[in-house]
Amino acid sequence: APLKFEEPKGRFRVQVKKPRDVQDVSFYNKLTPWQVQWQNIRDGESILALDEKGEIIGFALSKRKYDDDGALSGILLFQCEAHPEHQEKEAVLRTLLHEAFAFSNTEEINRTAVNLSKSNQLVHEILEKEGFIEKAEQVFMIKEMSA
């Protein structure tokens, strides 16, 4: 079935940039598995949602994969976050997800969300409504090291 992520209605402007462009976003979480941090997303992109003042109110990190013939074969989503205090978080997230996943009408491509935190409940709910299924689960642990 085609994805139903709503076409953005122009309320938020979207910019596609390099992954490194999220490093200074005030709500970028540095405590994530290394596989989904901006430094490890080679040939990927950051998708920034901006409000009418040009402030960043959300971001996504993603990567498109291509087959040997250069045709799009898959899209990986690594992070998708809205500003924690924004009034329209769901609309911001849907705009970002639309830009990351639904730009192509090709249904044969694999669309995968990688290591999305369970604490990001709203993104999980949106993806489940779109038909995404959980295939694997990981535990993220932090070890405190003493000098």
Side-chain angles (χ1 to χ4, degrees):
L3 295 173
K4 301 177 292 288
F5 296 117
E6 283 116 37
E7 182 77 38
K9 304 278 190 289
R11 293 195 311 222
F12 314 116
R13 212 163 30 108
V14 173
Q15 288 182 346
V16 178
K17 295 193 163 199
K18 300 285 184 201
R20 69 176 173 262
D21 290 308
V22 301
Q23 67 182 313
D24 294 326
V25 173
S26 64
F27 52 96
Y28 177 78
N29 181 5
K30 293 173 178 68
L31 285 176
T32 57
W34 66 269
Q35 299 98 323
V36 302
Q37 293 175 16
W38 70 265
Q39 300 95 320
N40 296 299
I41 304 172
R42 298 216 187 328
D43 304 319
E45 57 193 21
S46 64
I47 303 165
L48 305 176
L50 304 149
D51 65 11
E52 60 281 347
K53 293 178 273 181
E55 299 287 320
I56 297 172
I57 54 173
F59 72 88
L61 287 169
S62 64
K63 180 177 180 173
R64 299 174 192 170
K65 296 185 345 183
Y66 298 89
D67 64 19
D68 294 338
D69 298 325
L72 182 66
S73 61
I75 302 169
L76 301 170
L77 176 72
F78 300 100
Q79 291 192 44
C80 187
E81 301 282 345
H83 191 291
E85 293 162 21
H86 196 275
Q87 298 296 312
E88 300 178 75
K89 277 188 212 166
E90 184 169 354
V92 171
L93 294 171
R94 283 189 169 277
T95 297
L96 292 165
L97 291 168
H98 179 274
E99 189 68 27
F101 283 131
F103 70 90
S104 170
N105 292 330
T106 310
E107 291 189 33
E108 300 82 51
I109 65 171
N110 292 319
R111 291 172 173 90
T112 307
V114 181
N115 287 343
L116 285 183
S117 173
K118 287 272 190 182
S119 65
N120 197 339
Q121 287 181 315
L122 197 47
V123 171
H124 276 272
E125 288 170 19
I126 294 169
L127 292 175
E128 281 178 20
K129 286 178 191 167
E130 293 293 338
F132 280 68
I133 55 168
E134 191 172 296
K135 289 188 176 177
E137 196 172 317
Q138 290 187 355
V139 175
F140 177 60
M141 300 184 342
I142 299 172
K143 180 174 174 117
E144 298 283 333
M145 305 290 279
S146 58

